[in-house]
Amino acid sequence: MGFAHGVSSSTPVSAEDARHVARVMSALSTPSRVRILARLREGESTVGDLAVAVEMEQPAVSHQLRILRDLGLVLGSRTGRHVIYGLYDPHVATLLDEALRHIEHLRAGAADPPRAPTIDTPTATT
């Protein structure tokens, strides 16, 4: 995968890329991080404003932001006494949007899930 943006559904996934993807997707493994990313999708914010928006204590938000920063999903820039946080790039918003679209898709089709894929195998003839 590297830095290329030419990724498609037929792009092979190496073991190293799989580890990186799993690590990035781990950001969505806690509701608090999902809510923080969703708020930052609306625009940049300070830790204090984020804490109010996601209804968490400021130290807990700071801890989650540290994890999201380490995962390469958010950036912080110091402005005077405050650090302003934002999404690393538009791909992060797309990642969250696609996860939300999938949830909506599952909700809409919960009564009639899609058929599982099958592999056509040749039948033995005697």
Side-chain angles (χ1 to χ4, degrees):
M1 288 168 125
F3 293 103
H5 285 86
V7 176
S8 71
S9 61
S10 62
T11 302
V13 179
S14 69
E16 180 182 353
D17 286 344
R19 282 190 296 278
H20 287 293
V21 169
R23 188 166 183 262
V24 167
M25 296 299 280
S26 74
L28 302 179
S29 69
T30 64
S32 60
R33 288 196 292 261
V34 171
R35 292 186 71 207
I36 290 168
L37 289 172
R39 169 52 190 84
L40 291 175
R41 181 178 56 170
E42 298 169 14
E44 296 176 337
S45 182
T46 63
V47 176
D49 291 340
L50 274 172
V52 171
V54 299
E55 302 170 324
M56 292 173 59
E57 296 295 325
Q58 192 167 331
V61 172
S62 293
H63 174 73
Q64 296 302 333
L65 284 167
R66 215 170 4 262
I67 293 168
L68 292 168
R69 195 175 52 236
D70 290 346
L71 291 170
L73 299 176
V74 300
L75 292 172
S77 61
R78 184 164 294 284
T79 304
R81 293 181 22 208
H82 299 284
V83 177
I84 307 296
Y85 288 91
L87 297 180
Y88 184 85
D89 65 18
H91 294 115
V92 179
T94 301
L95 180 68
L96 181 59
D97 291 345
E98 288 300 321
L100 291 168
R101 282 187 194 100
H102 184 64
I103 297 303
E104 284 302 312
H105 177 78
L106 292 175
R107 284 182 186 146
D112 190 22
R115 233 180 95 226
T118 59
I119 298 175
D120 291 329
T121 55
T123 57
T125 57
T126 54

